[in-house]
Amino acid sequence: MTSTETDQETLAPHPPRSFEALRSHVIERHAALPKRLAQVAKFALDHPDEMALNTVAELAAAAGVQPSAMVRFAQTLGYSGFSELQGVFRSRLRDRWPDYQERLTKVQDETGGSADSSSVLARFVETSMRSLVHLPETISGEAFEAAVTLLARARTIYVLGQRRVFPVAAYLSYMLGKLEMRHMLLDNAGSMIDIQAGGMGPGDVLLAVTFTPYTPVTVDIANQATARGAKLVAITDSVFSPIAGLAHARLEVVESDFGAFRCLSATITLAMGLAIASAERRRALPPSA
Amino acid sequence: MTSTETDQETLAPHPPRSFEALRSHVIERHAALPKRLAQVAKFALDHPDEMALNTVAELAAAAGVQPSAMVRFAQTLGYSGFSELQGVFRSRLRDRWPDYQERLTKVQDETGGSADSSSVLARFVETSMRSLVHLPETISGEAFEAAVTLLARARTIYVLGQRRVFPVAAYLSYMLGKLEMRHMLLDNAGSMIDIQAGGMGPGDVLLAVTFTPYTPVTVDIANQATARGAKLVAITDSVFSPIAGLAHARLEVVESDFGAFRCLSATITLAMGLAIASAERRRALPPSA
DNA sequence: CTATAAATGGAATTGGTGTTTCATATTCTG
DNA sequence: CAGAATATGAAACACCAATTCCATTTATAG
């Protein structure tokens, strides 16, 4: 018994002490690892911060494995146990600490000046965050509440967003599908949006997204929707938006511009919140025919 | 006896949640604190990293006090115990962009009270911001640079992202069009993605986005692209992504999850930065035939 | 100077953590 | 397809950390 243990331990005599060494070592051996251990390996490299700060139980739950699998993973790598492995992740956190400030000042310096590629990214992050910070301020609780109520009670939700905001509509469609809410994405494929929107009527809701310059087809369909007795939930950028007046619930998003381009982060986030809040609300409602 | 305890507890109903708030609160009360507690306070503010990572016993020894003094210090501040206090130091280490940590906790505070639908939104905002904060860390300057270079030199950029990340691909397509960069969106309309991707060859770049679970068709097309001599720029969520190995430039994004749903804010922001940086780079290049 | 309250040190306790074990499931191999 | 080897899940275990308790010391008020 003792001899076998000794044999096993000699398989990995040098567990990596630095995170970088650990990282490359794991990447190298990843393919040869058993399924569950590979799962742990992937999680560990994808979430190094969590690995440093959380407990085995929490990490195991997050990675979708048993606590014992975490320990086994550490031991396979040659560590005495999980704690020793975690030490590597913790020292990484200590070591990496100083360079955040460096980055921050670098960003600040280059904000005004010319565009080195990576600073472009940093400025976008900055812009996106500004939009997000202001999102809860611009969206009133009542408006959000009203929108959620309408969507939760809708028979079918028609999702509409063209050109610049089409990604938002596409994402809404994906989420509503996953949430098992009946909906239809009006993507205007084959210029058949009138056909796609043909079924709208009382009991339905049109969830329309539009920003300046307001795509005409979006405004048209919104008008048709209200004319046919469907409710309109509008995500737009101004009270003067051509569909603002028609809307039964209006959500105003102010996205910060970056040059000629407008970020979509806040809008996407709002869409996500809207979809999930509506699904939750619907679950709470009495099931209607 | 019981009454006195109750009185003491009501003294600090709101223990600070953010490190900055904690810091100023401690500085303010420092003079009024008993000797040993003041000693702990000084140590805590002087060694925030240690406070986040070490155990009570180790910290007490390092500070030259008893373990119980550490616990008392935390309780004096209004926390239930040392662990809760340590949580503040740990979150500081997690979100190591101090400026934004303030904003995050601000959102948290506003959320804390009500549990209505609008708090759902606030939680999404928080999740999105967390992703954004970490974006510049996970994207190395070299990787971004490499991706930009490839895209700037591409004859045609093929844009690919299915299902959950299709919105990202759609947005990339919109921006690349506005930036007058020749590209093709592989949206798989009519299940004709093989036809759409038929033209890929040397000189072209496939910009592929894929997250867990990796949509098979995305992996297929990525393989085809490299086989035909096109370059591959991958936006993915792990080094173990099935297309990570093939990629000539790999950008890893770690999006924070919110329940079963993954935010797209960071990915969208990265896409935006990538598109614009590439366009700028191309303008700086000598015009090739 | 005495009496009272607060603060402190050190040990006992409790809860939760990492670890180990073992039965079961799965994957190789002949 | 059978049998062996390996991998996995779930629970039991042992230990250590955080917390509490209480006796002792130190400060404060009368």
Side-chain angles (χ1 to χ4, degrees):
Chain A
M1 185 181 117
T2 317
S3 58
T4 9
E5 280 182 355
T6 314
D7 287 349
Q8 284 187 343
E9 282 177 9
T10 51
L11 286 175
H14 289 305
R17 292 240 159 274
S18 80
F19 177 73
E20 283 309 318
L22 171 65
R23 181 187 167 85
S24 50
H25 184 229
V26 169
I27 291 178
E28 184 188 327
R29 290 194 49 185
H30 182 259
L33 250 40
K35 189 167 44 176
R36 207 49 29 122
L37 256 26
Q39 192 175 339
V40 173
K42 175 169 154 54
F43 178 85
L45 292 193
D46 289 349
H47 307 277
D49 290 12
E50 316 293 318
M51 288 292 289
L53 294 172
N54 294 335
T55 68
V56 167
E58 291 166 334
L59 293 169
V65 301
Q66 293 287 330
S68 49
M70 302 293 292
V71 177
R72 259 196 287 273
F73 174 69
Q75 288 170 340
T76 304
L77 259 44
Y79 299 98
S80 68
F82 174 79
S83 305
E84 199 175 298
L85 171 67
Q86 192 176 44
V88 176
F89 285 88
R90 290 194 165 178
S91 65
R92 162 181 169 277
L93 217 53
R94 287 181 212 261
D95 297 344
R96 214 176 45 136
W97 168 245
D99 80 329
Y100 88 94
Q101 211 161 15
E102 184 186 328
R103 281 191 175 137
L104 185 61
T105 51
K106 191 178 148 201
V107 169
Q108 285 171 343
D109 290 347
E110 290 166 354
T111 301
S114 65
D116 161 88
S117 291
S118 64
S119 82
V120 170
L121 182 59
R123 276 148 64 199
F124 272 104
V125 170
E126 172 72 33
T127 312
S128 293
M129 293 204 61
R130 195 168 353 200
S131 293
L132 277 169
V133 168
H134 290 149
L135 182 60
E137 298 164 12
T138 59
I139 303 292
S140 80
E142 303 86 62
F144 190 80
E145 201 65 30
V148 167
T149 305
L150 283 171
L151 291 172
R153 294 199 178 135
R155 190 176 52 187
T156 299
I157 300 171
Y158 288 82
V159 181
L160 174 56
Q162 295 290 297
R163 298 182 65 83
R164 181 208 317 243
V165 291
F166 175 66
V168 180
Y171 193 48
L172 275 166
S173 176
Y174 175 85
M175 277 191 302
L176 290 173
K178 282 282 177 189
L179 292 165
E180 297 182 4
M181 295 182 76
R182 189 184 306 149
H183 75 286
M184 171 125 194
L185 175 63
L186 307 178
D187 62 2
N188 201 18
S191 297
M192 290 189 288
I193 197 167
D194 51 338
I195 307 292
Q196 294 177 325
M200 282 190 304
D204 295 327
V205 172
L206 175 65
L207 175 50
V209 191
T210 183
F211 289 170
T212 344
Y214 311 100
T215 310
V217 72
T218 302
V219 183
D220 282 354
I221 299 292
N223 277 298
Q224 284 183 32
T226 51
R228 288 159 179 246
K231 300 285 185 182
L232 175 62
V233 175
I235 297 178
T236 185
D237 61 351
S238 163
V239 280
F240 303 120
S241 157
I243 69 167
L246 307 167
H248 301 92
R250 169 164 35 87
L251 299 169
E252 251 179 84
V253 183
V254 182
E255 291 271 14
S256 307
D257 288 340
F258 182 85
F261 292 92
R262 184 160 294 197
C263 294
L264 280 187
S265 300
T267 314
I268 285 262
T269 303
L270 173 62
M272 203 169 167
L274 206 52
I276 293 188
S278 302
E280 280 180 0
R281 173 72 58 83
R282 172 168 292 190
R283 225 168 288 135
L285 286 179
S288 59
Chain B
M1 184 179 116
T2 317
S3 59
T4 10
E5 280 182 354
T6 313
D7 287 350
Q8 284 187 344
E9 283 178 7
T10 52
L11 284 175
H14 285 304
R17 292 243 155 275
S18 79
F19 177 72
E20 287 306 319
L22 171 65
R23 184 187 168 83
S24 52
H25 185 230
V26 168
I27 290 176
E28 183 188 328
R29 292 192 50 183
H30 186 262
L33 250 39
K35 189 166 43 177
R36 207 51 27 125
L37 258 20
Q39 192 176 336
V40 173
K42 177 172 156 52
F43 177 85
L45 293 192
D46 288 349
H47 307 279
D49 295 10
E50 315 292 318
M51 288 292 289
L53 294 173
N54 295 330
T55 70
V56 169
E58 290 165 336
L59 292 169
V65 300
Q66 291 289 328
S68 48
M70 302 294 293
V71 176
R72 257 196 291 273
F73 173 70
Q75 288 170 340
T76 304
L77 259 44
Y79 299 97
S80 68
F82 176 77
S83 304
E84 198 174 300
L85 170 67
Q86 193 176 43
V88 175
F89 286 89
R90 292 193 165 179
S91 67
R92 163 179 170 278
L93 221 53
R94 268 203 184 85
D95 311 314
R96 61 181 72 65
W97 220 345
D99 181 24
Y100 290 123
Q101 198 193 349
E102 283 299 302
R103 300 180 186 179
L104 276 179
T105 49
K106 189 179 147 203
V107 171
Q108 283 174 346
D109 290 346
E110 289 166 356
T111 310
S114 58
D116 60 348
S117 293
S118 67
S119 79
V120 172
L121 182 60
R123 274 145 63 202
F124 273 102
V125 170
E126 188 198 324
T127 311
S128 294
M129 287 184 69
R130 184 156 286 133
S131 292
L132 279 168
V133 167
H134 287 289
L135 183 60
E137 296 165 15
T138 58
I139 304 293
S140 80
E142 304 86 61
F144 191 80
E145 202 65 34
V148 168
T149 306
L150 283 170
L151 291 171
R153 296 199 177 133
R155 189 176 54 187
T156 300
I157 299 171
Y158 288 81
V159 181
L160 174 56
Q162 295 290 296
R163 298 181 64 84
R164 184 206 318 243
V165 291
F166 175 67
V168 180
Y171 193 47
L172 274 165
S173 176
Y174 176 85
M175 277 191 302
L176 291 173
K178 283 283 178 189
L179 292 163
E180 296 180 6
M181 294 181 76
R182 188 183 308 148
H183 76 286
M184 170 125 193
L185 174 64
L186 306 179
D187 63 1
N188 200 19
S191 299
M192 291 188 289
I193 198 168
D194 52 337
I195 307 291
Q196 294 177 325
M200 283 190 304
D204 295 327
V205 172
L206 174 65
L207 175 50
V209 190
T210 184
F211 288 170
T212 342
Y214 311 101
T215 310
V217 71
T218 303
V219 183
D220 281 354
I221 299 292
N223 276 299
Q224 284 183 32
T226 52
R228 287 158 179 247
K231 300 284 185 183
L232 174 63
V233 175
I235 298 179
T236 186
D237 61 352
S238 168
V239 280
F240 300 122
S241 158
I243 70 167
L246 307 166
H248 301 91
R250 169 164 35 88
L251 300 169
E252 249 180 87
V253 183
V254 181
E255 291 271 14
S256 308
D257 289 339
F258 183 85
F261 292 90
R262 186 161 291 196
C263 295
L264 281 187
S265 301
T267 314
I268 285 264
T269 303
L270 173 62
M272 203 169 167
L274 206 53
I276 294 188
S278 302
E280 283 181 357
R281 172 72 59 81
R282 173 169 292 189
R283 224 169 289 135
L285 285 178
S288 60

